[in-house]
């Protein structure tokens, strides 16, 4: 029996030639990604047991992102803990405030994480890196502590769901709509502990930023990770970051690989989709109901990239954010913020009446920079709309693409982005690197 991409990567990192789903393995991790929220708890566990060491300081990436710049004393203390640990252990890859942004998006742009590698982090959206043909997954602080100490993690080998997306989308439909459509079909636990492997000619023609969005939201379907096979798009992306094919290993699923389930999607039939409260699987067509909004939020590790900001600018250009709507745009990293400024996107946002914030996780998890109050109604390009996720438990969160968020901000209610036809000059260049080490 053949193996899937994920099974091959795990086999190569656990000393096996073959693996079968359900098998327990001790797996080597190539990278550990740390931020200021979950890492301090892991460090305390190690310190309390006299195990205060790092398996390899050159294989740890540290990026404070959730509560920075610090919004209170406790957040400042957590940031201080991460920063002092980085200095003490000689961790080379540290992307401090002003040099980084959201950890997952920073990492994807550095060229450090390469196809065929493994990554763990104390953050559920670590699956984002699976778009590079890696096995990347979030773990709890206990497993994070073990990875920091030993560079090893225990896994039960997951089964794989094959998602085949064919055809081309309608105008105004984005990868965010595709992944919301899939989650709507299979449910919020439809991929429970499964790898979500994306294939099909739609994926073949999709740029890396779109692939990151798909892989990023595997966790919203209960998935262990998302993954896309390496192809010319991946290779070109890595080459732009100074990484050549001899520096990584490509894995492809075997023709006779076994999949637990297959999901087929005709991209041409997908419409702009909005996930209604209070679960990402509660998807409906954008504009089905003219629900008034008080907040419109663009950002997060799911949708804070330059292509997302361009989509927003196309709609906001020449328009105004509706009265009574607070719109916040959060570029995912410093580099994206700078590129958006160079392309004139930030000026378009400001002229339209939107506020542009600093790169961070911000209001996505209700910590700062746009936290929702009682009975607020927010349409957001983030990834979760659970009760209390972005602030007060009475607030309602609707998940959508950046284009749908922008259209709704202008309309004052949840709107279909296909009603807006504005275009910008050609700005096809992608961000071509992470912050300097």
């Amino acid at each position: 029996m053949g193996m899937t991409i994920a099974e091959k990567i795990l086999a190569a990192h656990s000393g096996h030639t073959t693996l079968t789903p359900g098998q327990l393995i001790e797996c080597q991790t190539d990278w550990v990604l740390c931020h200021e929220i979950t890492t301090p708890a892991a460090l305390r566990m190690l310190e309390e047991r006299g195990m205060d060491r790092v398996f390899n300081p050159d294989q740890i990436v540290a990026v404070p992102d959730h509560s920075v710049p610090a919004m209170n004393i406790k957040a400042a203390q957590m940031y201080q803990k991460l920063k002092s640990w980085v200095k003490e252990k000689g961790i080379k890859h540290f992307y401090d405030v002003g040099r980084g942004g959201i950890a997952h998006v920073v990492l994807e742009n550095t060229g450090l994480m390469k196809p065929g590698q493994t990554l763990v982090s104390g953050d559920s959206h670590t699956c984002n890196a699976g778009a590079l043909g890696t096995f990347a997954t979030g773990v709890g602080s206990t497993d994070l502590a073990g990875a920091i100490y030993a560079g090893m993690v225990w896994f039960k080998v997951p089964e794989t769901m094959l998602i085949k997306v064919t055809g081309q989308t309608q105008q105004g439909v984005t990868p965010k709509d595709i992944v919301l459509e899939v989650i709507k079909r299979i449910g919020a636990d439809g991929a429970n502990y499964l790898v979500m492997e994306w294939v099909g000619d739609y994926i073949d023609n999709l740029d890396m930023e779109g692939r990151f969005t798909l892989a990023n939201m595997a966790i919203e379907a209960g998935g262990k990770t998302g993954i896309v096979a390496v192809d010319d798009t991946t290779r070109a992306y890595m080459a732009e970051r100074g990484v050549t094919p001899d520096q990584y290993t490509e894995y492809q699923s075997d023709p006779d690989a076994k999949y637990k389930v297959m999901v087929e999607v005709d991209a041409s039939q997908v419409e702009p989709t909005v996930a209604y409260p209070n679960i990402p699987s509660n998807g409906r067509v954008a504009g089905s109901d003219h629900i008034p909004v008080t907040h419109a939020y663009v950002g997060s590790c799911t949708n804070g990239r330059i292509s997302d900001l361009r989509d927003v600018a196309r709609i906001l250009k020449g328009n105004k954010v509706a009265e009574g709507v607070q719109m916040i745009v959060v570029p995912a990293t410093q580099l994206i913020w700078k590129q958006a400024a160079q392309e004139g996107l930030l000026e378009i946002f400001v002229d339209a009446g939107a506020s542009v914030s600093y790169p961070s996780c911000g209001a996505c998890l209700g910590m700062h920079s746009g936290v929702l109050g009682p009975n607020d109604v927010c349409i957001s390009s983030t990834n979760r709309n659970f009760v209390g996720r972005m602030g007060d438990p009475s607030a309602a969160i609707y998940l959508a693409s950046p284009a749908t968020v922008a259209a709704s901000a202008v309309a004052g209610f949840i709107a279909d982005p296909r009603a807006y036809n504005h275009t910008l000059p050609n700005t096809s260049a992608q961000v071509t690197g992470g912050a300097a080490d």
Side-chain angles (χ1 to χ4, degrees):
M1 180 65 68
M3 292 195 294
T4 64
I5 302 171
E7 290 161 5
K8 289 182 178 182
I9 294 173
L10 292 178
H13 286 75
S14 60
H16 292 81
T17 54
T18 61
L19 288 177
T20 57
Q23 188 173 341
L24 294 176
I25 59 169
E26 189 176 24
C27 181
Q28 176 187 355
T29 182
D30 293 301
W31 295 99
V32 179
L33 178 63
C34 297
H35 60 61
E36 82 284 11
I37 299 299
T38 55
T39 305
L43 299 182
R44 281 195 299 273
M45 294 180 199
L46 294 175
E47 291 164 357
E48 290 168 358
R49 290 162 177 78
M51 300 168 65
D52 183 21
R53 78 169 193 189
V54 170
F55 80 103
N56 187 337
D58 291 339
Q59 290 178 250
I60 291 179
V61 180
V63 190
D65 64 356
H66 277 56
S67 59
V68 296
M71 74 285 194
N72 56 36
I73 295 172
K74 183 177 181 180
Q77 291 171 332
M78 297 176 81
Y79 165 75
Q80 288 177 334
K81 175 64 176 176
L82 180 70
K83 190 171 183 177
S84 63
W85 173 69
V86 163
K87 183 177 181 180
E88 177 189 343
K89 301 303 181 186
I91 292 168
K92 176 182 177 182
H93 306 296
F94 179 50
Y95 299 91
D96 203 351
V97 179
R99 298 179 62 245
I102 301 175
H104 307 301
V105 187
V106 170
L107 179 61
E108 76 191 34
N109 271 300
T110 60
L112 295 173
M113 187 75 194
K114 299 173 181 64
Q117 293 187 329
T118 55
L119 165 72
V120 296
S121 175
D123 189 290
S124 59
H125 288 104
T126 306
C127 50
N128 180 82
L132 292 170
T134 70
F135 188 90
T137 191
V139 296
S141 290
T142 303
D143 283 325
L144 178 62
I148 291 170
Y149 177 81
M152 304 292 287
V153 183
W154 282 98
F155 285 131
K156 181 176 75 171
V157 178
E159 295 179 290
T160 297
M161 168 186 287
L162 188 68
I163 306 169
K164 186 176 183 179
V165 188
T166 57
Q168 293 305 305
T169 56
Q170 306 172 41
Q171 183 181 9
V173 175
T174 72
K176 180 64 165 288
D177 300 300
I178 297 291
V179 72
L180 288 176
E181 170 67 19
V182 169
I183 295 171
K184 178 181 75 173
R185 291 191 193 182
I186 67 176
D189 60 353
N192 192 33
Y193 206 81
L194 302 179
V195 175
M196 297 175 72
E197 181 180 335
W198 296 84
V199 300
D201 60 72
Y202 171 80
I203 305 301
D204 295 340
N205 294 316
L206 189 60
D207 63 20
M208 285 305 304
E209 297 202 349
R211 296 179 185 189
F212 284 121
T213 295
L214 298 180
N216 180 279
M217 287 193 69
I219 189 64
E220 272 67 53
K224 184 65 173 175
T225 190
I227 200 163
V228 181
V230 175
D231 61 8
D232 285 343
T233 300
T234 324
R235 296 180 198 106
Y237 184 87
M238 297 308 299
E240 289 170 358
R241 285 146 186 82
V243 181
T244 55
D246 62 302
Q247 295 177 272
Y248 54 83
T249 304
E250 298 182 15
Y251 294 96
Q252 306 286 333
S253 291
D254 293 325
D256 60 342
K258 183 179 179 181
Y259 294 95
K260 182 177 177 62
V261 64
M262 180 174 176
V263 177
E264 296 188 78
V265 178
D266 181 349
S268 69
Q269 298 302 305
V270 177
E271 298 188 82
T273 301
V274 176
Y276 280 45
N278 291 303
I279 193 165
S281 58
N282 191 16
R284 306 181 197 179
V285 175
S288 300
D289 308 298
H290 286 188
I291 298 172
V293 299
T294 60
H295 290 66
Y297 187 90
V298 175
S300 81
C301 57
T302 309
N303 282 125
R305 299 176 179 85
I306 193 66
S307 58
D308 300 314
L309 304 187
R310 290 171 183 156
D311 286 347
V312 172
R314 289 185 184 99
I315 290 173
L316 291 188
K317 188 176 184 181
N319 286 310
K320 294 288 185 182
V321 174
E323 186 175 349
V325 177
Q326 178 187 118
M327 184 176 190
I328 300 174
V329 180
V330 186
T333 69
Q334 288 286 103
L335 284 177
I336 294 170
W337 198 104
K338 181 179 179 180
Q339 184 167 354
Q342 291 171 338
E343 294 184 9
L345 307 185
L346 302 189
E347 183 176 357
I348 293 172
F349 301 154
V350 172
D351 287 348
S355 175
V356 181
S357 190
Y358 45 82
S360 74
C361 296
C364 176
L365 68 163
M367 299 194 78
H368 61 116
S369 300
V371 174
L372 302 180
N375 301 312
D376 278 338
V377 179
C378 179
I379 185 156
S380 175
S381 74
T382 55
N383 40 57
R384 289 180 181 157
N385 57 349
F386 308 141
V387 172
R389 169 70 178 182
M390 295 181 71
D392 193 89
S394 67
I397 306 164
Y398 295 78
L399 303 179
S401 72
T404 300
V405 172
S408 303
V410 171
F413 53 82
I414 296 178
D416 189 328
R418 292 173 293 189
Y420 296 83
N421 240 353
H422 298 282
T423 59
L424 287 172
N426 182 16
T427 52
S428 58
Q430 290 190 342
V431 176
T432 56
D437 276 337

